[in-house]
């Protein structure tokens, strides 16, 4: 799969993704992922930042509300149209642009930092995207990104579920196969009536090992400062029982790295 295939799939996913995420059904993102990302994030107040693979812009807006001057880019025009419409409705000073992560239309060192929420894992040219992020960040600036945890989502992944529907174990294999495939799913928190209004998402997956992911960062010249593997608290699981799966294995990997 190349980035054209990726772009076509995300463009097709964008209307349903925007509607369901904005209705609050991206519970992984809103309850676990973004709060943990913000805990790790260095101060951004007053800095120019770029959000790579911004989607409909929810996280770009969150970073802008922390005082950063944000630019959001995404490969899907429909996502960018939704993000731009929201900016017009409630201006936060964000500029949105359709652009590929592996070919950013910005000057060297134009930004003090970059964020990429759950997008670098979806880019066909992962190393190209990291090189571009490194290029547009000024020396001393940082990149912080989240991806699906590469150790726990290989091409073969099966859940063991008990009589109460709780996931008790995850069986994994084919970890070293750099498989590329399309995964069909939707936000399970959405009630059936909402879900059935849209086709399921068809998401291009590029399985990379942990070494592939982290060596990509190091080979680009970044220094890794911190890594996190967020998981929900007991209280969050009580409120959203489906999040219990996120405590059986790690689900997310966060990386904070800096350009020397
Ligand atoms: C899982 S969504 C995450 C969206 C958003 N960051 C969020 O947290 O809600 C992945 C995003 O990456 C974008 N994407 C995939 N490949 C890309 C590429 N080569 N260049 C730019 N964006 C890309 C998709 O269009 C999609 O919006």
């Amino acid at each position: 799969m190349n980035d054209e295939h990726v772009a076509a799939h995300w463009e097709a996913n964008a209307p349903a993704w925007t509607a369901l995420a904005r209705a609050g059904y991206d519970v992984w993102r809103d309850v676990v992922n973004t709060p943990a990302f913000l805990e790790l994030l260095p101060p951004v107040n007053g800095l120019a930042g770029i959000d790579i693979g911004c989607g409909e812009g929810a996280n770009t807006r969150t970073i802008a509300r922390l005082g950063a001057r944000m630019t959001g880019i995404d490969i899907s025009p429909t996502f960018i149209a939704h993000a731009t419409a929201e900016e017009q409705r409630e201006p936060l000073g964000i500029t949105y642009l359709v652009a590929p992560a592996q070919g950013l239309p910005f000057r060297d060192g134009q930004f003090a930092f970059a964020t990429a929420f759950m997008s670098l894992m979806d880019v066909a040219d992962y190393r190209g995207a990291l090189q571009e992020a490194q290029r547009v960040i000024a020396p001393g600036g940082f990149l912080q990104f989240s991806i699906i945890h590469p150790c726990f989502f290989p091409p073969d992944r099966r859940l063991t579920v008990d009589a109460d529907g709780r996931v008790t174990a995850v069986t994994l294999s084919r970890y070293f196969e750099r498989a590329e495939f399309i995964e069909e799913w939707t936000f399970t928190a959405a009630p059936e009536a909402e879900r059935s209004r849209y086709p399921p998402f068809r998401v291009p997956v590029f399985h990379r090992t942990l070494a592939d992911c982290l060596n990509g960062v190091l080979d680009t010249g970044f220094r890794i400062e911190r890594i996190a593997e967020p998981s929900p608290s007991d209280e969050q699981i009580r409120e959203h029982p489906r999040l219990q799966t996120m405590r059986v294995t790690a689900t997310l990997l966060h990386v904070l790295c800096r350009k020397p």
Side-chain angles (χ1 to χ4, degrees), residues 202-237:
R202 300 193 75 238
V203 176
V205 177
F206 298 89
H207 173 60
R208 302 176 177 106
T209 65
L210 181 66
D212 293 342
C213 294
L214 297 186
N215 287 335
V217 176
L218 296 171
D219 292 347
T220 310
F222 282 114
R223 290 204 189 117
I224 294 179
E225 287 192 346
R226 198 82 191 152
I227 285 181
E229 295 171 305
S231 68
S233 64
D234 290 344
E235 197 187 327
Q236 288 168 330
I237 292 176

Side-chain angles (χ1 to χ4, degrees), residues 6-116:
V6 173
H9 279 93
W10 277 108
E11 184 57 11
N13 293 334
W17 188 285
T18 303
L20 294 172
R22 287 186 179 177
Y25 300 127
D26 191 350
V27 176
W28 275 28
R29 181 187 76 180
D30 297 342
V31 177
V32 183
N33 203 355
T34 299
F37 196 98
L38 297 179
E39 255 179 55
L40 189 64
L41 192 74
V44 294
N45 189 20
L47 301 182
I50 175 168
D51 188 24
I52 298 170
C54 63
E56 52 81 31
N59 284 320
T60 326
R61 292 190 286 280
T62 299
I63 305 294
R65 288 191 183 102
L66 296 176
R69 282 173 282 117
M70 291 304 291
T71 298
I73 69 99
D74 200 281
I75 206 167
S76 154
T78 297
F79 269 139
I80 290 297
H82 283 299
T84 304
E86 192 54 26
E87 174 65 19
Q88 282 159 358
R89 202 186 63 79
E90 189 193 339
L92 292 167
I94 305 172
T95 304
Y96 290 104
L97 216 69
V98 178
Q102 67 280 8
L104 296 175
F106 303 108
R107 292 191 316 276
D108 295 3
Q110 189 168 332
F111 298 99
F113 73 95
T115 51

Side-chain angles (χ1 to χ4, degrees), residues 64-212:
R65 288 191 183 102
L66 296 176
R69 282 173 282 117
M70 291 304 291
T71 298
I73 69 99
D74 200 281
I75 206 167
S76 154
T78 297
F79 269 139
I80 290 297
H82 283 299
T84 304
E86 192 54 26
E87 174 65 19
Q88 282 159 358
R89 202 186 63 79
E90 189 193 339
L92 292 167
I94 305 172
T95 304
Y96 290 104
L97 216 69
V98 178
Q102 67 280 8
L104 296 175
F106 303 108
R107 292 191 316 276
D108 295 3
Q110 189 168 332
F111 298 99
F113 73 95
T115 51
F117 292 82
M118 303 303 276
S119 57
L120 292 182
M121 65 203 189
D122 294 328
V123 177
D125 182 5
Y126 171 70
R127 281 180 171 247
L130 285 169
Q131 277 158 13
E132 278 295 86
Q134 212 259 8
R135 184 183 66 74
V136 301
I137 296 172
F142 70 86
L143 162 68
Q144 185 171 314
F145 66 92
S146 54
I147 52 175
I148 205 81
H149 201 302
C151 294
F152 301 105
F153 289 81
D156 189 2
R157 178 174 189 271
R158 288 168 228 195
L159 305 181
T160 303
V161 180
D162 71 12
D164 300 323
R166 285 167 52 90
V167 175
T168 55
V170 181
T171 307
L172 306 169
S173 69
R174 297 170 54 205
Y175 174 70
F176 291 102
E177 249 179 64
R178 272 72 170 186
E180 299 178 5
F181 52 96
I182 303 291
E183 209 166 54
E184 278 197 10
W185 54 276
T186 187
F187 295 130
T188 49
E192 180 53 33
E194 290 286 317
R195 268 192 262 169
S196 59
R197 295 173 56 201
Y198 305 98
F201 307 133
R202 300 193 75 238
V203 176
V205 177
F206 298 89
H207 173 60
R208 302 176 177 106
T209 65
L210 181 66
D212 293 342

